[in-house]
Amino acid sequence: MRAGGTTAAHAARRTGPPADAEHVDVAVVGAGLAGVGLGARLRRAGRTGFALLERADDVGGTWRDNVYPGVACDIPSALYSYSFRPQPAWSRVFAPGAEIHEYVRDVARSEGLAPHLRLGTELTGARWSEDEAAWRLTTSRGPLTARVLVTAVGRLSEPRVPEIPGLGTFPGRVFHSARWDRDLPDGLRVGVVGTGASGVQLVPELARRAASVVVLQRTPPWVLPRGDRAYAPGEERPDRAALAEEADRLFEARMAGSAEEAALRERAEAHLRAQVPDPALRAQLTPDYAVGCKRALFSDDWYPALQQPHVTLEPSAPVAVEGSTLVAASGARYEVDVLVLATGFETTRPPFAHLVAGRGGRTLAEHWADGMTSHASTVVHGFPNLFVLDGPNAGLGHHSALEVIEAQIGYVLGGLDHLDATGVPLEVSAAAEAAYTREVDERAAGTVWLRGGCRSWYVDERSGRLTLLWPGRAAEYRERFGVFDPAPFAPEDVTAAGQPGTRPFW
Ligand code: N01
């Protein structure tokens, strides 16, 4: 039987919303670009029975949390707004973070999300209640039940702090790039660990304000020319659709051994040669893996910053902190007043996965013990009426994150319509999830993300699977999954692979 029918078992479960806690139709967790975008589209669809839970005191996600000097979009900002709510007035080719944050706040305000927003409300647990056909949530502000749960908690929201012996004894300020100390005085000696997108953006700005900067680089990034500039007053902005198509073609450069990959490498090498005349420094800055294997970065001021007299590139990782001395793997020692950890985020093992328990009390973290899996990058077997935004294989290594987020929002809206029409909880079959996972694995096998010879946050260290990125063009993802298809939600598959009727254990 297809999901459109009503079996006796399902009908028996539809007992109406639980009465012992406030009930909402849809609970969305996280008010970053994904959550706010979904909220706006829910309202536009006339759906007002939703709550948008946000643990912080403001909307904006990444753009609220990352306020380090130099933070900016690292794809052209013409691609960085909701298609249903374009921002035609970005000030620069790569908009500064504060401007993007203001855009998200403006969307939340003007799309009427205020009555739905619950700021300062942290999700502490979510359990699917089989009997009630609803999610039971616990939050820092009390319980809630919801017919549908959508997680939109971001993939780069939980800072990863490395274990460096002695770090706890450092006498000065230590903070992660996503927890910037806004009161940091100028004129200090600063150590920066990490040379990913955040490190590369913040070091040139920091160098303008610090007495000295030492950058500890474990792995050099590939860096491409950026070409950032302010738009002139009245200047026409690039055509979004044309730019999106152009960006999507860059996926070809992520196929290992392709001519496009070779061309991209040449561009990156030429940039390095042009900006770094010293062959010894150039050697230290030359990656030994394929371009794009780790995120390819865009910067025109990274290499020049490293060549300033008061900036030092230490080409090895910190191995210890002894008082205010940073000890590098090379044996070099650096005295610093402040330590900035631009060390990335918990991506492959998202902490929220421990909070969400589906049928039989099994958590997403348990389901994902070997790495994240899904169908359509959005739904997970064993987790009825759950949609995960920005989760398994939902990122893009070559294009704007919003491309996938918007498609996922379309999928959720279609899923809700289907749910309304059938009244039957939506649970994707185990077979559909397995088939999608197989497809992702097969497609990922030929990409630089798996074959490029690097270690990156895109790949699950347990299984070696590419679990963070969609291994294809954004346009293909949108066409296939931007519209909800009920076929993979066949109940007989669910029954075969799951434990129907298992009592929730609260
Ligand atoms: O983090 P990362 P990020 N000792 O994980 C190093 C997005 N973003 O915050 O390469 C020494 O990329 C680590 O070294 P290695 C963007 O999608 C977007 O920079 O693992 N070093 C690496 O150099 C990006 O991809 C914007 O050897 C250690 C760095 O820390 C994502 O965020 C702006 C270490 C971490 O790099 C994450 O970027 C900024 C250790 N123990 C970021 N541990 C936009 O503009 C880690 N490292 C949209």
Side-chain angles (χ1 to χ4, degrees), residues 62-63 66 68 71-75 80 156 160 162-164 176-177 193-199 201 216-219 294-295 297 316-318 342-345 455 457-458:
T62 285
W63 304 105
N66 284 271
Y68 57 78
V71 63
C73 203
D74 69 353
I75 52 128
Y80 213 77
L156 299 166
R160 192 178 55 203
E163 283 170 22
I164 306 170
H176 188 272
S177 53
V193 183
T195 53
S198 302
Q201 283 186 341
L216 288 93
Q217 170 192 271
R218 183 165 69 183
T219 313
K294 286 173 180 291
R295 191 175 178 88
L297 310 180
S316 73
T343 44
F345 299 87
R455 193 180 57 180
W457 61 262
Y458 300 148

mmCIF file of all heavy atoms in Angstrom, residues 62-63 66 68 71-75 80 156 160 162-164 176-177 193-199 201 216-219 294-295 297 316-318 342-345 455 457-458, ligand 1:
data_model
loop_
_atom_site.group_PDB
_atom_site.id
_atom_site.type_symbol
_atom_site.label_atom_id
_atom_site.label_comp_id
_atom_site.label_asym_id
_atom_site.label_seq_id
_atom_site.Cartn_x
_atom_site.Cartn_y
_atom_site.Cartn_z
ATOM 1 N N THR A 62 25.014 31.338 11.319
ATOM 2 C CA THR A 62 26.424 31.613 11.019
ATOM 3 C C THR A 62 26.743 33.097 11.062
ATOM 4 O O THR A 62 27.788 33.507 11.580
ATOM 5 C CB THR A 62 26.729 31.105 9.589
ATOM 6 O OG1 THR A 62 26.818 29.692 9.644
ATOM 7 C CG2 THR A 62 28.021 31.651 9.034
ATOM 8 N N TRP A 63 25.818 33.900 10.540
ATOM 9 C CA TRP A 63 26.112 35.326 10.360
ATOM 10 C C TRP A 63 25.890 36.114 11.636
ATOM 11 O O TRP A 63 26.307 37.248 11.751
ATOM 12 C CB TRP A 63 25.299 35.865 9.181
ATOM 13 C CG TRP A 63 25.612 35.033 7.988
ATOM 14 C CD1 TRP A 63 24.814 34.069 7.428
ATOM 15 C CD2 TRP A 63 26.854 34.995 7.268
ATOM 16 N NE1 TRP A 63 25.473 33.445 6.398
ATOM 17 C CE2 TRP A 63 26.724 33.997 6.279
ATOM 18 C CE3 TRP A 63 28.051 35.705 7.363
ATOM 19 C CZ2 TRP A 63 27.755 33.697 5.387
ATOM 20 C CZ3 TRP A 63 29.080 35.408 6.474
ATOM 21 C CH2 TRP A 63 28.918 34.414 5.501
ATOM 22 N N ASN A 66 29.449 34.408 13.639
ATOM 23 C CA ASN A 66 30.794 34.697 13.137
ATOM 24 C C ASN A 66 30.960 36.198 12.920
ATOM 25 O O ASN A 66 30.482 36.752 11.936
ATOM 26 C CB ASN A 66 31.047 33.941 11.831
ATOM 27 C CG ASN A 66 31.315 32.470 12.090
ATOM 28 O OD1 ASN A 66 32.449 32.046 12.293
ATOM 29 N ND2 ASN A 66 30.241 31.691 12.119
ATOM 30 N N TYR A 68 34.127 37.654 13.411
ATOM 31 C CA TYR A 68 35.570 37.935 13.400
ATOM 32 C C TYR A 68 35.862 38.999 12.332
ATOM 33 O O TYR A 68 35.109 39.138 11.362
ATOM 34 C CB TYR A 68 36.370 36.652 13.149
ATOM 35 C CG TYR A 68 36.038 35.892 11.878
ATOM 36 C CD1 TYR A 68 36.502 36.317 10.647
ATOM 37 C CD2 TYR A 68 35.273 34.734 11.926
ATOM 38 C CE1 TYR A 68 36.207 35.624 9.484
ATOM 39 C CE2 TYR A 68 34.968 34.032 10.769
ATOM 40 C CZ TYR A 68 35.443 34.487 9.551
ATOM 41 O OH TYR A 68 35.140 33.802 8.394
ATOM 42 N N VAL A 71 35.049 38.805 8.306
ATOM 43 C CA VAL A 71 34.061 37.779 7.943
ATOM 44 C C VAL A 71 33.189 38.286 6.795
ATOM 45 O O VAL A 71 32.695 39.407 6.801
ATOM 46 C CB VAL A 71 33.196 37.354 9.156
ATOM 47 C CG1 VAL A 71 32.363 38.505 9.711
ATOM 48 C CG2 VAL A 71 32.292 36.171 8.780
ATOM 49 N N ALA A 72 33.062 37.430 5.799
ATOM 50 C CA ALA A 72 32.309 37.801 4.598
ATOM 51 C C ALA A 72 31.889 36.527 3.883
ATOM 52 O O ALA A 72 32.410 35.446 4.147
ATOM 53 C CB ALA A 72 33.170 38.650 3.674
ATOM 54 N N CYS A 73 30.960 36.695 2.989
ATOM 55 C CA CYS A 73 30.509 35.606 2.153
ATOM 56 C C CYS A 73 31.698 35.114 1.326
ATOM 57 O O CYS A 73 32.504 35.920 0.877
ATOM 58 C CB CYS A 73 29.475 36.202 1.211
ATOM 59 S SG CYS A 73 28.353 35.023 0.545
ATOM 60 N N ASP A 74 31.834 33.793 1.157
ATOM 61 C CA ASP A 74 32.947 33.366 0.315
ATOM 62 C C ASP A 74 32.477 32.820 -1.032
ATOM 63 O O ASP A 74 33.215 32.141 -1.726
ATOM 64 C CB ASP A 74 33.917 32.432 1.044
ATOM 65 C CG ASP A 74 33.323 31.075 1.342
ATOM 66 O OD1 ASP A 74 32.122 30.896 1.113
ATOM 67 O OD2 ASP A 74 34.085 30.197 1.797
ATOM 68 N N ILE A 75 31.248 33.150 -1.368
ATOM 69 C CA ILE A 75 30.806 32.994 -2.757
ATOM 70 C C ILE A 75 30.209 34.347 -3.143
ATOM 71 O O ILE A 75 29.800 35.098 -2.251
ATOM 72 C CB ILE A 75 29.778 31.854 -2.931
ATOM 73 C CG1 ILE A 75 28.632 32.040 -1.946
ATOM 74 C CG2 ILE A 75 30.386 30.489 -2.770
ATOM 75 C CD1 ILE A 75 27.333 32.007 -2.616
ATOM 76 N N TYR A 80 23.690 34.931 -2.894
ATOM 77 C CA TYR A 80 23.501 34.683 -1.479
ATOM 78 C C TYR A 80 22.298 35.410 -0.904
ATOM 79 O O TYR A 80 22.407 36.225 0.007
ATOM 80 C CB TYR A 80 24.780 35.046 -0.722
ATOM 81 C CG TYR A 80 25.001 34.162 0.483
ATOM 82 C CD1 TYR A 80 25.477 32.868 0.352
ATOM 83 C CD2 TYR A 80 24.708 34.614 1.757
ATOM 84 C CE1 TYR A 80 25.657 32.053 1.450
ATOM 85 C CE2 TYR A 80 24.886 33.800 2.873
ATOM 86 C CZ TYR A 80 25.360 32.528 2.706
ATOM 87 O OH TYR A 80 25.538 31.720 3.791
ATOM 88 N N LEU A 156 27.682 24.141 10.423
ATOM 89 C CA LEU A 156 28.902 24.799 10.890
ATOM 90 C C LEU A 156 28.553 25.651 12.095
ATOM 91 O O LEU A 156 28.841 26.846 12.146
ATOM 92 C CB LEU A 156 29.494 25.652 9.765
ATOM 93 C CG LEU A 156 29.892 24.887 8.495
ATOM 94 C CD1 LEU A 156 30.152 25.836 7.330
ATOM 95 C CD2 LEU A 156 31.116 24.014 8.733
ATOM 96 N N ARG A 160 34.727 23.421 16.845
ATOM 97 C CA ARG A 160 35.582 22.295 17.237
ATOM 98 C C ARG A 160 36.856 22.872 17.851
ATOM 99 O O ARG A 160 37.593 23.609 17.203
ATOM 100 C CB ARG A 160 35.932 21.449 16.010
ATOM 101 C CG ARG A 160 36.555 20.115 16.375
ATOM 102 C CD ARG A 160 36.839 19.281 15.166
ATOM 103 N NE ARG A 160 37.650 20.012 14.218
ATOM 104 C CZ ARG A 160 37.712 19.764 12.918
ATOM 105 N NH1 ARG A 160 36.974 18.813 12.405
ATOM 106 N NH2 ARG A 160 38.489 20.474 12.124
ATOM 107 N N PRO A 162 40.433 22.056 19.382
ATOM 108 C CA PRO A 162 41.400 20.952 19.403
ATOM 109 C C PRO A 162 41.930 20.686 20.802
ATOM 110 O O PRO A 162 41.936 21.587 21.647
ATOM 111 C CB PRO A 162 42.522 21.454 18.490
ATOM 112 C CG PRO A 162 42.417 22.943 18.513
ATOM 113 C CD PRO A 162 40.972 23.277 18.764
ATOM 114 N N GLU A 163 42.326 19.437 21.004
ATOM 115 C CA GLU A 163 42.941 19.110 22.296
ATOM 116 C C GLU A 163 44.439 19.340 22.181
ATOM 117 O O GLU A 163 45.151 18.543 21.579
ATOM 118 C CB GLU A 163 42.648 17.655 22.642
ATOM 119 C CG GLU A 163 41.231 17.464 23.140
ATOM 120 C CD GLU A 163 40.841 16.013 23.267
ATOM 121 O OE1 GLU A 163 41.737 15.158 23.385
ATOM 122 O OE2 GLU A 163 39.626 15.755 23.219
ATOM 123 N N ILE A 164 44.874 20.457 22.704
ATOM 124 C CA ILE A 164 46.311 20.760 22.686
ATOM 125 C C ILE A 164 46.776 20.729 24.148
ATOM 126 O O ILE A 164 46.236 21.477 24.972
ATOM 127 C CB ILE A 164 46.588 22.152 22.073
ATOM 128 C CG1 ILE A 164 45.939 22.259 20.679
ATOM 129 C CG2 ILE A 164 48.090 22.419 21.984
ATOM 130 C CD1 ILE A 164 45.961 23.670 20.096
ATOM 131 N N HIS A 176 37.521 30.666 19.963
ATOM 132 C CA HIS A 176 37.298 30.114 18.626
ATOM 133 C C HIS A 176 36.875 31.234 17.684
ATOM 134 O O HIS A 176 36.263 32.218 18.125
ATOM 135 C CB HIS A 176 36.202 29.041 18.727
ATOM 136 C CG HIS A 176 36.017 28.268 17.463
ATOM 137 N ND1 HIS A 176 35.165 28.681 16.460
ATOM 138 C CD2 HIS A 176 36.581 27.106 17.018
ATOM 139 C CE1 HIS A 176 35.208 27.803 15.469
ATOM 140 N NE2 HIS A 176 36.047 26.838 15.784
ATOM 141 N N SER A 177 37.172 31.070 16.407
ATOM 142 C CA SER A 177 36.835 32.125 15.434
ATOM 143 C C SER A 177 35.340 32.443 15.419
ATOM 144 O O SER A 177 34.945 33.578 15.135
ATOM 145 C CB SER A 177 37.303 31.705 14.032
ATOM 146 O OG SER A 177 36.796 30.425 13.698
ATOM 147 N N VAL A 193 45.515 29.480 15.070
ATOM 148 C CA VAL A 193 45.620 28.079 14.658
ATOM 149 C C VAL A 193 44.563 27.832 13.599
ATOM 150 O O VAL A 193 43.369 28.068 13.834
ATOM 151 C CB VAL A 193 45.381 27.115 15.841
ATOM 152 C CG1 VAL A 193 45.566 25.664 15.393
ATOM 153 C CG2 VAL A 193 46.312 27.444 17.003
ATOM 154 N N GLY A 194 44.973 27.352 12.429
ATOM 155 C CA GLY A 194 43.993 27.006 11.400
ATOM 156 C C GLY A 194 44.051 27.931 10.206
ATOM 157 O O GLY A 194 44.125 29.155 10.353
ATOM 158 N N THR A 195 44.023 27.324 9.027
ATOM 159 C CA THR A 195 44.103 28.083 7.778
ATOM 160 C C THR A 195 43.008 27.640 6.811
ATOM 161 O O THR A 195 43.245 27.428 5.630
ATOM 162 C CB THR A 195 45.499 27.912 7.140
ATOM 163 O OG1 THR A 195 45.763 26.505 7.017
ATOM 164 C CG2 THR A 195 46.587 28.557 7.973
ATOM 165 N N GLY A 196 41.790 27.476 7.353
ATOM 166 C CA GLY A 196 40.627 27.218 6.499
ATOM 167 C C GLY A 196 40.009 28.555 6.099
ATOM 168 O O GLY A 196 40.655 29.615 6.200
ATOM 169 N N ALA A 197 38.742 28.519 5.672
ATOM 170 C CA ALA A 197 38.079 29.737 5.189
ATOM 171 C C ALA A 197 38.091 30.833 6.258
ATOM 172 O O ALA A 197 38.304 32.011 5.953
ATOM 173 C CB ALA A 197 36.639 29.415 4.785
ATOM 174 N N SER A 198 37.894 30.437 7.524
ATOM 175 C CA SER A 198 37.845 31.445 8.586
ATOM 176 C C SER A 198 39.227 32.054 8.817
ATOM 177 O O SER A 198 39.373 33.279 8.857
ATOM 178 C CB SER A 198 37.324 30.824 9.890
ATOM 179 O OG SER A 198 36.049 30.256 9.691
ATOM 180 N N GLY A 199 40.256 31.215 8.955
ATOM 181 C CA GLY A 199 41.609 31.710 9.190
ATOM 182 C C GLY A 199 42.061 32.642 8.072
ATOM 183 O O GLY A 199 42.642 33.705 8.325
ATOM 184 N N GLN A 201 40.301 34.414 6.104
ATOM 185 C CA GLN A 201 39.602 35.703 6.116
ATOM 186 C C GLN A 201 40.064 36.593 7.269
ATOM 187 O O GLN A 201 40.148 37.810 7.125
ATOM 188 C CB GLN A 201 38.078 35.494 6.238
ATOM 189 C CG GLN A 201 37.424 35.051 4.935
ATOM 190 C CD GLN A 201 35.916 34.998 5.024
ATOM 191 O OE1 GLN A 201 35.334 34.953 6.098
ATOM 192 N NE2 GLN A 201 35.263 34.987 3.870
ATOM 193 N N LEU A 216 49.651 29.255 12.669
ATOM 194 C CA LEU A 216 50.088 27.858 12.688
ATOM 195 C C LEU A 216 49.280 27.079 11.659
ATOM 196 O O LEU A 216 48.071 26.910 11.803
ATOM 197 C CB LEU A 216 49.929 27.258 14.087
ATOM 198 C CG LEU A 216 50.974 27.820 15.065
ATOM 199 C CD1 LEU A 216 50.424 29.020 15.809
ATOM 200 C CD2 LEU A 216 51.445 26.755 16.029
ATOM 201 N N GLN A 217 49.979 26.653 10.634
ATOM 202 C CA GLN A 217 49.335 25.994 9.502
ATOM 203 C C GLN A 217 49.674 24.506 9.499
ATOM 204 O O GLN A 217 50.830 24.138 9.321
ATOM 205 C CB GLN A 217 49.823 26.646 8.206
ATOM 206 C CG GLN A 217 49.420 25.912 6.943
ATOM 207 C CD GLN A 217 50.166 26.414 5.715
ATOM 208 O OE1 GLN A 217 49.706 27.334 5.058
ATOM 209 N NE2 GLN A 217 51.317 25.827 5.412
ATOM 210 N N ARG A 218 48.661 23.678 9.693
ATOM 211 C CA ARG A 218 48.911 22.232 9.631
ATOM 212 C C ARG A 218 48.890 21.773 8.172
ATOM 213 O O ARG A 218 49.683 20.929 7.762
ATOM 214 C CB ARG A 218 47.848 21.493 10.449
ATOM 215 C CG ARG A 218 48.040 20.002 10.509
ATOM 216 C CD ARG A 218 47.217 19.362 11.603
ATOM 217 N NE ARG A 218 45.785 19.393 11.338
ATOM 218 C CZ ARG A 218 44.868 18.943 12.190
ATOM 219 N NH1 ARG A 218 45.236 18.464 13.372
ATOM 220 N NH2 ARG A 218 43.595 18.996 11.893
ATOM 221 N N THR A 219 47.933 22.334 7.413
ATOM 222 C CA THR A 219 47.779 21.952 6.005
ATOM 223 C C THR A 219 47.504 23.214 5.199
ATOM 224 O O THR A 219 46.554 23.941 5.514
ATOM 225 C CB THR A 219 46.552 21.011 5.845
ATOM 226 O OG1 THR A 219 46.596 20.004 6.851
ATOM 227 C CG2 THR A 219 46.520 20.373 4.472
ATOM 228 N N LYS A 294 39.787 19.954 -0.128
ATOM 229 C CA LYS A 294 39.297 20.820 0.944
ATOM 230 C C LYS A 294 38.674 22.007 0.241
ATOM 231 O O LYS A 294 39.025 22.281 -0.910
ATOM 232 C CB LYS A 294 40.441 21.342 1.800
ATOM 233 C CG LYS A 294 41.050 20.331 2.736
ATOM 234 C CD LYS A 294 42.277 20.961 3.366
ATOM 235 C CE LYS A 294 42.947 20.020 4.327
ATOM 236 N NZ LYS A 294 42.181 19.766 5.547
ATOM 237 N N ARG A 295 37.859 22.753 0.929
ATOM 238 C CA ARG A 295 37.227 23.904 0.285
ATOM 239 C C ARG A 295 38.288 24.825 -0.333
ATOM 240 O O ARG A 295 39.222 25.244 0.357
ATOM 241 C CB ARG A 295 36.401 24.675 1.311
ATOM 242 C CG ARG A 295 35.509 25.721 0.705
ATOM 243 C CD ARG A 295 34.656 26.340 1.786
ATOM 244 N NE ARG A 295 33.799 27.391 1.262
ATOM 245 C CZ ARG A 295 32.591 27.199 0.764
ATOM 246 N NH1 ARG A 295 32.098 25.981 0.722
ATOM 247 N NH2 ARG A 295 31.881 28.205 0.315
ATOM 248 N N LEU A 297 39.653 28.228 -1.385
ATOM 249 C CA LEU A 297 39.356 29.523 -0.774
ATOM 250 C C LEU A 297 39.600 30.655 -1.762
ATOM 251 O O LEU A 297 40.367 30.505 -2.717
ATOM 252 C CB LEU A 297 40.225 29.699 0.477
ATOM 253 C CG LEU A 297 40.184 28.515 1.449
ATOM 254 C CD1 LEU A 297 41.080 28.776 2.650
ATOM 255 C CD2 LEU A 297 38.752 28.231 1.897
ATOM 256 N N SER A 316 53.532 24.267 10.815
ATOM 257 C CA SER A 316 53.198 23.022 11.533
ATOM 258 C C SER A 316 52.171 23.332 12.620
ATOM 259 O O SER A 316 51.932 24.498 12.952
ATOM 260 C CB SER A 316 54.454 22.380 12.139
ATOM 261 O OG SER A 316 54.910 23.104 13.259
ATOM 262 N N ALA A 317 51.588 22.282 13.135
ATOM 263 C CA ALA A 317 50.501 22.426 14.109
ATOM 264 C C ALA A 317 51.064 22.663 15.511
ATOM 265 O O ALA A 317 52.195 22.271 15.804
ATOM 266 C CB ALA A 317 49.657 21.159 14.099
ATOM 267 N N PRO A 318 50.244 23.258 16.375
ATOM 268 C CA PRO A 318 50.686 23.372 17.769
ATOM 269 C C PRO A 318 50.618 22.006 18.434
ATOM 270 O O PRO A 318 49.669 21.257 18.221
ATOM 271 C CB PRO A 318 49.650 24.328 18.382
ATOM 272 C CG PRO A 318 48.437 24.191 17.524
ATOM 273 C CD PRO A 318 48.916 23.824 16.153
ATOM 274 N N ALA A 342 40.972 29.009 14.844
ATOM 275 C CA ALA A 342 40.144 28.991 13.620
ATOM 276 C C ALA A 342 40.124 27.550 13.125
ATOM 277 O O ALA A 342 40.543 27.238 12.014
ATOM 278 C CB ALA A 342 40.732 29.941 12.584
ATOM 279 N N THR A 343 39.668 26.680 14.022
ATOM 280 C CA THR A 343 39.873 25.239 13.843
ATOM 281 C C THR A 343 38.639 24.488 13.359
ATOM 282 O O THR A 343 38.602 23.264 13.416
ATOM 283 C CB THR A 343 40.373 24.627 15.173
ATOM 284 O OG1 THR A 343 39.593 25.171 16.259
ATOM 285 C CG2 THR A 343 41.829 24.972 15.409
ATOM 286 N N GLY A 344 37.637 25.218 12.881
ATOM 287 C CA GLY A 344 36.524 24.544 12.231
ATOM 288 C C GLY A 344 35.431 24.087 13.181
ATOM 289 O O GLY A 344 35.365 24.509 14.348
ATOM 290 N N PHE A 345 34.588 23.195 12.683
ATOM 291 C CA PHE A 345 33.334 22.868 13.368
ATOM 292 C C PHE A 345 33.106 21.359 13.409
ATOM 293 O O PHE A 345 33.688 20.614 12.619
ATOM 294 C CB PHE A 345 32.175 23.546 12.618
ATOM 295 C CG PHE A 345 32.318 25.044 12.596
ATOM 296 C CD1 PHE A 345 33.056 25.684 11.593
ATOM 297 C CD2 PHE A 345 31.761 25.819 13.596
ATOM 298 C CE1 PHE A 345 33.228 27.063 11.582
ATOM 299 C CE2 PHE A 345 31.928 27.197 13.596
ATOM 300 C CZ PHE A 345 32.656 27.819 12.590
ATOM 301 N N ARG A 455 42.432 15.398 4.011
ATOM 302 C CA ARG A 455 41.450 15.114 5.063
ATOM 303 C C ARG A 455 40.602 16.376 5.194
ATOM 304 O O ARG A 455 41.150 17.471 5.300
ATOM 305 C CB ARG A 455 42.189 14.841 6.372
ATOM 306 C CG ARG A 455 41.313 14.247 7.450
ATOM 307 C CD ARG A 455 42.134 14.013 8.698
ATOM 308 N NE ARG A 455 42.754 15.271 9.121
ATOM 309 C CZ ARG A 455 43.546 15.397 10.185
ATOM 310 N NH1 ARG A 455 43.839 14.349 10.900
ATOM 311 N NH2 ARG A 455 44.048 16.564 10.523
ATOM 312 N N TRP A 457 36.520 18.287 6.344
ATOM 313 C CA TRP A 457 35.307 18.163 7.158
ATOM 314 C C TRP A 457 34.118 17.654 6.354
ATOM 315 O O TRP A 457 33.032 17.491 6.880
ATOM 316 C CB TRP A 457 34.984 19.473 7.873
ATOM 317 C CG TRP A 457 34.708 20.678 7.013
ATOM 318 C CD1 TRP A 457 35.569 21.671 6.684
ATOM 319 C CD2 TRP A 457 33.447 21.064 6.433
ATOM 320 N NE1 TRP A 457 34.947 22.636 5.927
ATOM 321 C CE2 TRP A 457 33.648 22.292 5.761
ATOM 322 C CE3 TRP A 457 32.168 20.496 6.410
ATOM 323 C CZ2 TRP A 457 32.624 22.954 5.068
ATOM 324 C CZ3 TRP A 457 31.143 21.149 5.729
ATOM 325 C CH2 TRP A 457 31.385 22.361 5.061
ATOM 326 N N TYR A 458 34.336 17.393 5.068
ATOM 327 C CA TYR A 458 33.259 16.857 4.221
ATOM 328 C C TYR A 458 33.090 15.347 4.388
ATOM 329 O O TYR A 458 32.082 14.775 3.997
ATOM 330 C CB TYR A 458 33.579 17.101 2.740
ATOM 331 C CG TYR A 458 33.743 18.536 2.311
ATOM 332 C CD1 TYR A 458 34.634 18.868 1.283
ATOM 333 C CD2 TYR A 458 32.994 19.555 2.876
ATOM 334 C CE1 TYR A 458 34.776 20.177 0.844
ATOM 335 C CE2 TYR A 458 33.142 20.869 2.442
ATOM 336 C CZ TYR A 458 34.034 21.173 1.434
ATOM 337 O OH TYR A 458 34.167 22.461 0.994
HETATM 338 O O1 N01 B 1 37.171 25.564 9.336
HETATM 339 P P1 N01 B 1 37.955 24.449 8.506
HETATM 340 P P2 N01 B 1 36.806 27.054 8.926
HETATM 341 N N1 N01 B 1 46.074 21.825 14.877
HETATM 342 O O2 N01 B 1 37.537 23.144 9.114
HETATM 343 C C1 N01 B 1 42.992 23.516 11.259
HETATM 344 C C2 N01 B 1 32.600 27.898 5.951
HETATM 345 N N2 N01 B 1 32.955 29.277 6.009
HETATM 346 O O3 N01 B 1 36.075 27.666 10.057
HETATM 347 O O4 N01 B 1 43.376 21.310 7.287
HETATM 348 C C3 N01 B 1 46.320 22.575 13.813
HETATM 349 O O5 N01 B 1 37.815 24.612 7.057
HETATM 350 C C4 N01 B 1 42.686 22.727 10.037
HETATM 351 O O6 N01 B 1 43.843 22.061 9.592
HETATM 352 P P3 N01 B 1 43.728 20.744 8.648
HETATM 353 C C5 N01 B 1 33.241 27.246 4.750
HETATM 354 O O7 N01 B 1 32.322 26.353 4.187
HETATM 355 C C6 N01 B 1 32.301 30.061 5.187
HETATM 356 O O8 N01 B 1 37.969 27.772 8.410
HETATM 357 O O9 N01 B 1 42.624 19.906 9.234
HETATM 358 N N3 N01 B 1 45.408 22.942 12.941
HETATM 359 C C7 N01 B 1 42.200 23.839 9.116
HETATM 360 O O10 N01 B 1 43.256 24.541 8.555
HETATM 361 C C8 N01 B 1 34.362 26.531 5.390
HETATM 362 O O11 N01 B 1 34.802 25.436 4.659
HETATM 363 C C9 N01 B 1 32.573 31.355 5.157
HETATM 364 O O12 N01 B 1 45.047 20.115 8.720
HETATM 365 C C10 N01 B 1 44.169 22.510 13.160
HETATM 366 C C11 N01 B 1 41.448 24.735 10.089
HETATM 367 O O13 N01 B 1 41.941 24.459 11.374
HETATM 368 C C12 N01 B 1 33.796 26.173 6.735
HETATM 369 O O14 N01 B 1 33.052 27.297 7.113
HETATM 370 C C13 N01 B 1 33.563 31.902 5.978
HETATM 371 C C14 N01 B 1 43.820 21.718 14.240
HETATM 372 C C15 N01 B 1 39.964 24.477 10.100
HETATM 373 O O15 N01 B 1 39.451 24.765 8.857
HETATM 374 C C16 N01 B 1 34.775 25.920 7.812
HETATM 375 O O16 N01 B 1 35.832 26.867 7.730
HETATM 376 C C17 N01 B 1 34.225 31.084 6.850
HETATM 377 C C18 N01 B 1 44.851 21.364 15.128
HETATM 378 N N4 N01 B 1 44.624 20.580 16.182
HETATM 379 C C19 N01 B 1 33.893 29.745 6.867
HETATM 380 N N5 N01 B 1 42.506 21.451 14.181
HETATM 381 C C20 N01 B 1 31.781 32.153 4.244
HETATM 382 O O17 N01 B 1 32.214 33.173 3.868
HETATM 383 C C21 N01 B 1 42.048 22.058 13.089
HETATM 384 N N6 N01 B 1 43.046 22.719 12.463
HETATM 385 C C22 N01 B 1 30.456 31.682 3.779
#
